[in-house]
Amino acid sequence: MTEPTFTDIRGKQYETVDSRVRRFRDDHPTGDISTQILVDDDTRVLMKAEITIDEKRVATGTAEEIRGSSNINQTSAVENCETSAVGRALGFAGYDAAGSIASADEVSRAIDQQQSTSFPPSQPGPSQAESPGRKPGREVLPA
């Protein structure tokens, strides 16, 4: 029996995709992990992974990556997307030893992407700042 491999990300344990794959292969030597590219264009990649055991589909997972949105997606968006879809499908199939559908690989990439993307600060307009009952730290969205 293969023991799961975990990575600590911000104090929470996540299982890696390769750990999920190894455990699945040990448990189901004739099981199948298949992937399909749903969209592959200049902007994004969208993939679906299916987990099959005894010729029955037991889980699916999807993932989307935006080309150029991170260092890895500049050169390997398809591979990155496939890994995420497989990790999610295996998580749905019960290979989530840390209790999370998201894998360590997926969470780590999401954090890296958030840190490399700059968002403009939100500036409330005069009517928002002067609204009676407005609580500090809460943005009032226009209706």
Side-chain angles (χ1 to χ4, degrees):
M1 176 180 196
T2 303
E3 292 297 318
T5 303
F6 300 100
T7 298
D8 181 283
I9 300 174
R10 295 186 177 176
K12 185 170 180 189
Q13 296 292 308
Y14 293 91
E15 187 174 4
T16 62
V17 173
D18 68 309
S19 172
R20 292 177 182 193
V21 170
R22 281 186 280 112
R23 292 191 315 115
F24 175 78
R25 296 279 185 226
D26 280 356
D27 292 348
H28 305 282
T30 61
D32 184 54
I33 301 170
S34 61
T35 58
Q36 176 185 6
I37 297 173
L38 303 175
V39 175
D40 182 5
D41 59 28
D42 292 340
T43 306
R44 68 187 183 127
V45 177
L46 179 64
M47 295 193 79
K48 178 172 114 176
E50 292 185 353
I51 308 301
T52 306
I53 301 171
D54 297 328
E55 298 183 23
K56 289 180 71 176
R57 183 178 62 211
V58 296
T60 62
T62 58
E64 178 183 47
E65 295 295 339
I66 305 301
R67 292 189 180 279
S69 63
S70 65
N71 285 338
I72 193 150
N73 282 343
Q74 289 179 15
T75 60
S76 305
V78 172
E79 296 87 339
N80 189 20
C81 193
E82 183 176 43
T83 300
S84 292
V86 167
R88 293 185 62 76
L90 286 168
F92 286 123
Y95 289 87
D96 58 347
S100 174
I101 297 301
S103 68
D105 312 62
E106 185 177 358
V107 172
S108 180
R109 284 191 301 268
I111 290 170
D112 290 346
Q113 188 171 345
Q114 287 173 353
Q115 291 173 345
S116 69
T117 304
S118 61
F119 296 98
S122 176
Q123 299 293 325
S127 62
Q128 292 173 342
E130 297 168 5
S131 296
R134 182 173 187 269
K135 295 181 181 177
R138 291 189 66 195
E139 182 177 14
V140 179
L141 300 175

